[in-house]
Amino acid sequence: MRGACFTRCNIDGDLVATAYGRTSGLCIDPVEKKPLNHFWPGNSVLSFGTVGCNLSCRFCQNWELSAARSLERLTSAADPDAIAISAFQRGCRAIAYTYNDPIVFPEYAIDTARAAHELGLLNIAVSAGYINPEPRIELFQHMDAANIDLKGIDERFYRRLTGSELGPVLDTLRYLAADPHTWLEVTNLVIPRYNDSDDDLHRLVDWVATELGPDIPLHFSAFHPDHKMMDVPRTPASTLLKARQTALDSGLHFVYTGNIADSTSSTTYCPQCNQSLVERSQYEITTYRLTPDGNCFTCATPIPGRWPVHPGTFGNHRAPVRV
Ligand code: SF4
């Protein structure tokens, strides 16, 4: 692991990551920002992370945290109970373990997730999914939803650009898709020249459709120049729209674009009658037409996801949080 890969003992004498009990910051976000479009839409989540990462993505958009070499970035002391109480008091529906990757702070994430569940809150992992089978079970059994990055479908891409391997990530995706407890959505960051060829896109969407099934939501997200890839241009909207169409043509039912403003490709449609059901403007729900049971209001087709009777009204803003 890069960054803060040190350990110490917690009060129970267990060996835990040094980051335990200290965050790099907390923020209230709309759940759509994770991104999750089929999990409690419109609700707010308390996001937090630490420092360090077990990958070293050259395109990392959180590199100031993931590649941090010192613990000085851990600015806020916050024990698990304090984080859960803070989320509860602010009306959040869930806590999101994000920014770097909860895989590198599992004890902290699990203890916080337990505290959150005791208060009736849900837990969301935002992760690259690069983890061994045993800790995979241990971490995700506490998570009610996960957004996993599938950064590409090529082993050389993973080795060259992320310093990791594709196989364990695919295993995590298969594991979560088969797990009825944890709701799964998948994100692919589309990077010009590196993973945006027709062949790359076809292979990726075919793998998702075949291995995970047509109902797993897939998000194509736009790259912007960052970290060690400042010389690569921003992803054009046309590339994301092409990727989305490729996925729809391959049989995926719920495909979205991210980091661009396009309401058509941010909308959830009924796969049976094509009725628009949840319309979004950026992270804001503008129209919600699911029945209270999560069915299409026109043809009654069940729409996979975890749907509230009424969507939340978070809107499009961010709020800093202190605990
Ligand atoms: S897995 Fe995510 S946080 Fe870690 S280096 Fe890659 S992009 Fe950054």
Side-chain angles (χ1 to χ4, degrees):
M1 184 180 78
R2 293 181 309 158
C5 54
F6 315 109
T7 55
R8 64 177 172 81
C9 288
N10 67 4
I11 53 174
D12 297 325
D14 301 324
L15 204 59
V16 297
T18 308
Y20 192 101
R22 291 194 290 166
T23 83
S24 53
L26 300 104
C27 190
I28 296 178
D29 292 317
V31 68
E32 286 76 12
K33 195 169 185 178
K34 298 303 94 189
L36 291 171
N37 279 356
H38 291 226
F39 187 82
W40 291 87
N43 277 257
S44 55
V45 301
L46 182 66
S47 299
F48 91 97
T50 61
V51 294
C53 192
N54 57 339
L55 275 68
S56 50
C57 303
R58 298 180 63 79
F59 46 82
C60 183
Q61 298 177 350
N62 285 324
W63 63 271
E64 290 179 348
L65 299 177
S66 69
R69 296 283 173 202
S70 83
L71 300 177
E72 289 169 8
R73 297 302 307 247
L74 295 170
T75 50
S76 309
D79 69 37
D81 287 335
I83 294 172
I85 290 168
S86 178
F88 181 81
Q89 289 176 336
R90 287 166 172 80
C92 294
R93 189 67 194 88
I95 295 175
Y97 309 88
T98 180
Y99 300 143
N100 50 341
D101 193 316
I103 284 172
V104 301
F105 56 97
E107 307 91 352
Y108 193 15
I110 289 169
D111 286 355
T112 305
R114 285 196 176 108
H117 277 158
E118 282 179 14
L119 293 175
L121 303 179
L122 302 170
N123 295 294
I124 297 167
V126 181
S127 170
Y130 187 56
I131 186 170
N132 284 320
E134 295 81 8
R136 179 185 298 141
I137 295 169
E138 208 176 331
L139 175 65
F140 285 103
Q141 67 180 309
H142 300 279
M143 298 296 146
D144 302 284
N147 188 297
I148 303 293
D149 277 343
L150 177 56
K151 298 171 187 291
I153 200 68
D154 186 277
E155 185 64 50
R156 280 170 306 172
F157 174 95
Y158 260 81
R159 287 184 185 276
R160 272 184 58 212
L161 272 73
T162 77
S164 68
E165 302 162 288
L166 176 60
V169 178
L170 300 183
D171 288 344
T172 297
L173 287 164
R174 288 192 196 95
Y175 171 81
L176 290 173
D179 175 8
H181 167 73
T182 306
W183 174 253
L184 171 65
E185 303 194 18
V186 179
T187 294
N188 174 241
L189 182 73
V190 182
I191 307 173
R193 302 198 306 262
Y194 285 88
N195 65 359
D196 67 339
S197 71
D198 288 348
D199 182 56
D200 285 325
L201 295 173
H202 275 290
R203 286 196 294 134
L204 186 135
V205 301
D206 286 348
W207 187 89
V208 172
T210 305
E211 298 282 338
L212 307 184
D215 287 336
I216 297 291
L218 176 61
H219 302 255
F220 287 109
S221 187
F223 165 88
H224 62 255
D226 215 327
H227 196 30
K228 296 180 179 173
M229 293 179 69
M230 295 298 292
D231 57 336
V232 179
R234 186 177 287 269
T235 313
S238 58
T239 302
L240 294 192
L241 296 173
K242 180 183 75 172
R244 177 173 179 270
Q245 192 57 51
T246 301
L248 293 172
D249 292 344
S250 291
L252 293 181
H253 292 155
F254 307 104
V255 190
Y256 304 101
T257 57
N259 292 347
I260 62 168
D262 183 74
S263 58
T264 302
S265 58
S266 303
T267 296
T268 301
Y269 299 91
C270 175
Q272 188 66 34
C273 70
N274 206 36
Q275 172 68 53
S276 72
L277 297 174
V278 184
E279 297 174 9
R280 303 172 182 87
S281 173
Q282 298 284 6
Y283 301 123
E284 191 171 1
I285 307 290
T286 54
T287 303
Y288 191 83
R289 297 197 185 99
L290 288 167
T291 69
D293 295 333
N295 298 337
C296 171
F297 85 107
T298 301
C299 71
T301 295
I303 306 302
R306 308 283 165 84
W307 307 107
V309 173
H310 302 290
T313 54
F314 181 85
N316 185 14
H317 72 274
R318 293 177 61 148
V321 175
R322 292 186 192 282
V323 295

